[in-house]
Amino acid sequence: MADAPRILFCNCTYAQVVPKEVKEAVLRKLCESGVAFDAVADLCEMSARQDSALQRLAGGGPVKIAACFPRAVKWLFAAAQAPLPLNAAEVLNMRTQTAEEIVTALFTSELKPNLPSGKVTASDAPSAPLMEPQAAL
């Protein structure tokens, strides 16, 4: 199956924003499957270092990436001068999807590109809980 998308798994080691149970379940299923995949410790850290491996990953053909938000992954690669092709990359969000949903999508040969096109704006940002105002001293 030469046309099957490659699989990239991000362990989100440093940010620790992905639920541990989801990461572990996805990685376990990947390892048990016998399917070839690339695993990286942390895409954020690789982007910050402008790791040249991101260029290889971005330029290697269709890819499915288990990481976090598609818009974040898009800009992590772009910041490292390794833009992902909009029509050949599918990002599965371990922050919001279940391990079962992610694994099912990873093992399906169909690629569903989902990177946002155009510029990401503040309105695209994930909602975060508001901080409690601190009392004046």
Side-chain angles (χ1 to χ4, degrees):
M1 194 183 282
D3 296 324
R6 293 167 302 115
I7 296 174
L8 173 61
F9 173 83
C10 176
N11 197 49
C12 299
T13 301
Y14 303 113
Q16 299 180 7
V17 295
V18 172
K20 183 178 178 181
E21 315 76 54
V22 174
K23 279 193 310 191
E24 289 176 352
V26 171
L27 183 57
R28 182 175 50 255
K29 291 291 187 182
L30 282 168
C31 291
E32 291 170 354
S33 74
V35 171
F37 69 96
D38 289 305
V40 298
D42 196 287
L43 285 172
C44 294
E45 186 264 344
M46 291 176 76
S47 177
R49 287 189 297 113
Q50 296 208 349
D51 192 313
S52 61
L54 292 178
Q55 291 177 344
R56 180 183 52 80
L57 291 166
V63 62
K64 291 185 180 190
I65 303 170
C68 64
F69 294 100
R71 66 183 177 275
V73 172
K74 173 186 176 177
W75 293 110
L76 288 171
F77 276 81
Q81 308 304 311
L84 288 166
L86 294 181
N87 63 346
E90 178 179 358
V91 178
L92 301 153
N93 190 341
M94 292 192 292
R95 290 181 76 173
T96 62
Q97 294 177 273
T98 67
E100 186 62 36
E101 291 170 328
I102 293 165
V103 169
T104 298
L106 288 174
F107 295 150
T108 301
S109 61
E110 179 185 8
L111 181 75
K112 297 179 182 174
N114 65 342
L115 294 180
S117 60
K119 184 176 178 182
V120 175
T121 65
S123 65
D124 295 321
S127 58
L130 296 175
M131 294 181 64
E132 292 291 322
Q134 294 187 359
L137 296 176

